[in-house]
Amino acid sequence: MTRETWASRVGFILAAVGSAVGLGNIWRFPWMTAENGGSAFLVVYLLIVLGVGVPGLLAAFIIGRRSNRNPVGAFKSLKGSRGWTVLGVLCVVTSVVLMSFYSVVGGWILRYFVESFTGAYFADPGAHFEAISYGADAFAYQFVVLGASAIIVTAGVRRGIEASTKVMMPGILVLLVALAVWAAQQPNAVQGYEFYLGFDGAYLADNFFAVLGSAAGQALFTLSIGGGTMITYASYIDDDRSLPLDASAIAVLNLGIGILAGLVLFPLLFSFTAGPTAGGPGALFVGIAGAFANLPAGRLLGATFFLVVLLAAVTSLISMLEIPVSFLVDEFGLERSTATRGLLVLTVFTGALNAFSVDVFTLFADHLVDLLLILGLTGFMFYTAWVLGPDAVAEYRNGAGPLSRPLAAPWRYAIGTVFPAFLLFTLYSDVLSLAGLSPRTSTMVLLTLATAVPFVLFVRWSERDVRTTSAEAAD
């Protein structure tokens, strides 16, 4: 079976940005920012995206392009112990977890698009969202969104994923810019900007570990790294592409759209709701709906806005669905249509758990996904640096320009030491914060070192043992 590739570089970048942007930046980013002190969260998030996200994207790209396989197949086919296949399985599991709650949000958006024509949510946006967010109706709308995503994935990489994102992503960007201009003219826009952009050092100092964990999880969520999406998408890349250039472009575009989404939402939250945290996960719906309710052309604006956000949701869902689909196609030789239908049945079941239970949805969307993504990216970095090693450096340099090529070796050692240590530190801080504990920084550092150092030593020892056994067999 001939494996597909992207038709163009622009198509790949737009698909990757579509996966990264989606609801991660338009829905989850404003919610996470509001829940974590506004500007304090924004600063930490920016630093993590640029400092950790880009090197992490490169690690995922290298695994994907070098293997030309899905995450499970990648770790099977590349050098190293097959024990690393567990990391590929984690990617498939993470994608199902993501789709299970993400599709619920997609269903909310679809419903708001339909109801915009009647103004059903105008009278009391907060009460309306609370009434429709879970239950049989939420499940029905979720099913429609999952079905639309499955149709696109069934069409394939070029005719489905690439063709759809080339249309959807420019539309999302244009409308967000127009909405940001309009939001700046609302009565309490200045207060929204102060909360969002005015750095609050005191809040960050008092809540550092909680903000750090949320910012790291959000950075990984919006960039679609740690879950296998970028491994899968990179497996369709030609060998002459500059991976450092592509990773940087995706990160910058992702950041820009995320910041732009905040410039739309926070002026509206301060102008039309009780404050920045109004609505929690429903902040997008409560804030935006309240704004449209106060405009003469509110129904038309509402329908247009939620249509574009729906397109953003679908661009992300198709990237999540592509992970297990590519796994079934590559490893078991299934037809793409058969694999997609089977996974649609699975995600409808797991998605129903989220659609009918606010507790399950909160567990998946606010905590579980962050931990899975951090674990996944930590594994990608360790594997790329210490198992692929020189092969990773060669893959990095393949197609890279004169400016980025000399950075290959420093990048390798950074993703093998500093960055995974940071991610482990974040993981521990997040878990302990959820448990209600406030550990000292020195304790966190000791926990991180006690995990990272023995693991790296074990990986290096096992790789040396494999090389020795192979040499003896050759003799």
Side-chain angles (χ1 to χ4, degrees), residues 53-376:
V54 173
L57 274 174
L58 277 168
F61 282 173
I62 282 167
I63 294 170
R65 187 171 74 174
R66 193 161 188 86
S67 65
N68 294 127
R69 303 284 289 277
N70 65 87
V72 176
F75 292 107
K76 275 186 180 180
S77 62
L78 294 174
K79 63 183 288 190
S81 168
R82 290 217 169 181
W84 287 95
T85 306
V86 173
L87 192 55
V89 174
L90 178 67
C91 292
V92 176
V93 172
T94 301
S95 69
V96 174
V97 170
L98 282 165
M99 283 188 289
S100 299
F101 78 84
Y102 209 92
S103 55
V104 175
V105 185
W108 295 344
I109 295 168
L110 175 59
R111 179 165 189 156
Y112 269 69
F113 166 68
V114 173
E115 292 182 341
S116 293
F117 295 101
T118 64
Y121 54 80
F122 281 6
D124 191 341
H128 181 79
F129 176 75
E130 186 175 346
I132 62 91
S133 49
Y134 301 98
D137 286 352
F139 173 70
Y141 280 98
Q142 174 194 37
F143 179 79
V144 174
V145 172
L146 281 171
S149 304
I151 290 171
I152 293 173
V153 171
T154 300
V157 174
R158 291 192 179 191
R159 293 186 298 113
I161 300 173
E162 184 172 353
S164 61
T165 52
K166 276 184 175 179
V167 174
M168 291 188 281
M169 286 311 301
I172 293 168
L173 182 59
V174 169
L175 190 60
L176 277 177
V177 170
L179 284 169
V181 172
W182 167 70
Q185 303 170 36
Q186 302 314 305
N188 294 325
V190 173
Q191 293 170 270
Y193 294 145
E194 287 176 352
F195 175 80
Y196 182 45
L197 303 175
F199 179 63
D200 189 349
Y203 183 93
L204 183 59
D206 293 340
N207 302 274
F208 178 73
F209 290 123
V211 172
L212 181 66
S214 296
Q218 177 63 20
L220 271 57
F221 185 90
T222 57
L223 287 173
S224 290
I225 49 177
T229 297
M230 292 307 175
I231 289 178
T232 305
Y233 274 15
S235 70
Y236 304 121
I237 300 177
D238 294 330
D239 290 338
D240 59 350
R241 301 274 184 82
S242 171
L243 296 183
L245 180 61
D246 286 353
S248 300
I250 291 165
V252 169
L253 286 170
N254 173 70
L255 269 178
I257 294 178
I259 293 171
L260 186 58
L263 293 175
V264 173
L265 193 61
F266 286 108
L268 301 181
L269 286 173
F270 274 87
S271 296
F272 301 106
T273 72
T277 59
L284 174 72
F285 306 93
V286 175
I288 293 291
F292 292 145
N294 288 274
L295 291 173
R299 295 185 181 188
L300 178 60
L301 282 171
T304 305
F305 175 80
F306 283 112
L307 174 61
V308 174
V309 180
L310 178 62
L311 297 178
V314 172
T315 62
S316 292
L317 276 169
I318 60 179
S319 72
M320 297 170 192
L321 184 56
E322 180 64 17
I323 297 171
V325 166
S326 65
F327 164 64
L328 294 176
V329 170
D330 290 347
E331 304 307 310
F332 298 97
L334 294 182
E335 292 292 330
R336 176 171 282 269
S337 58
T338 303
T340 306
R341 284 195 297 270
L343 286 161
L344 177 61
V345 173
L346 173 63
T347 52
V348 164
F349 172 75
T350 58
L353 300 177
N354 287 262
F356 283 97
S357 172
V358 62
D359 292 332
V360 173
F361 178 89
T362 302
L363 172 65
F364 276 44
D366 198 10
H367 303 304
L368 182 58
V369 67
D370 287 352
L371 300 179
L372 289 173
L373 291 174
I374 291 173
L375 279 174

Side-chain angles (χ1 to χ4, degrees), residues 411-468:
W411 162 82
R412 175 200 169 186
Y413 290 107
I415 65 167
T417 55
V418 178
F419 295 140
F422 165 77
L423 290 171
L424 287 172
F425 182 93
T426 302
L427 178 69
Y428 286 130
S429 67
D430 201 18
V431 170
L432 293 175
S433 294
L434 288 174
L437 302 176
S438 299
R440 298 169 65 176
T441 302
S442 58
T443 303
M444 302 297 301
V445 171
L446 288 174
L447 276 173
T448 300
L449 293 176
T451 305
V453 173
F455 185 79
V456 171
L457 291 175
F458 173 76
V459 170
R460 298 299 293 159
W461 172 80
S462 63
E463 287 304 304
R464 184 178 62 181
D465 189 55
V466 168
R467 287 193 296 269
T468 301

